[in-house]
Amino acid sequence: MIVSSGGQYITVRSALPYLNNESSITLTSGVYGVRPPQGATTLAAINSAIEGLVRGLSVDLAPIRVNVVSPGIVDTLIYAGMPDDQRQELFNGIAQQLPVGRIAKPEDIAETYVYLAKNGFTTGTAVLIDGGAHLV
């Protein structure tokens, strides 16, 4: 599991010479770290490890801010290989389970990255942006 989150650690470490005290680092995990479905133990462990990494890095690298965005399902090109009707059936089924009643668009998630980059008082935080998936 550590090897999987190791890529993000190596990336942060490689970026450090280019950062200053006002810099912000934002990593990505996922909702499975909070609410793993059956059969996703490995993904849950990886997401949880990334969130732990962020908390540790935010202390070790202070005053550089380190945060993580933890999205749920997002309508992106990763699903483009699915036939349209299957993809829509998947999205509709998941949307019906979510309190917000829809699947995230990339813009929804992007706003969170912008917020974390701009807000100079947020560090060591995991922002869960999953449409309420962790509640159901």
Side-chain angles (χ1 to χ4, degrees):
M1 309 317 162
I2 293 174
V3 173
S4 297
S5 60
Q8 294 202 42
Y9 173 78
I10 291 168
T11 301
V12 169
R13 202 167 147 193
S14 298
L16 288 177
Y18 305 99
L19 303 178
N20 62 42
N21 288 346
E22 289 80 38
S23 295
S24 173
I25 299 167
T26 305
L27 301 180
T28 304
S29 69
V31 69
Y32 287 3
V34 176
R35 189 172 191 278
Q38 185 174 5
T41 301
T42 302
L43 290 174
I46 292 167
N47 288 329
S48 296
I50 293 167
E51 292 181 16
L53 174 66
V54 162
R55 288 188 297 273
L57 287 174
S58 68
V59 172
D60 289 347
L61 301 180
I64 295 172
R65 297 177 302 102
V66 186
N67 296 289
V68 60
V69 174
S70 184
I73 189 166
V74 183
D75 184 358
T76 64
L77 292 177
I78 197 166
Y79 299 100
M82 295 176 73
D84 287 342
D85 58 334
Q86 279 186 330
R87 186 176 69 250
Q88 283 310 310
E89 185 177 330
L90 171 71
F91 287 169
N92 290 340
I94 294 171
Q96 289 175 4
Q97 298 172 32
L98 296 176
V100 297
R102 68 179 180 86
I103 300 300
K105 299 289 183 197
E107 312 74 77
D108 296 318
I109 309 305
E111 287 181 23
T112 306
Y113 287 96
V114 172
Y115 160 76
L116 290 172
K118 291 174 73 172
N119 187 303
F121 200 67
T122 305
T123 193
T125 299
V127 178
L128 186 60
I129 179 163
D130 67 349
H134 67 285
L135 302 172
V136 295

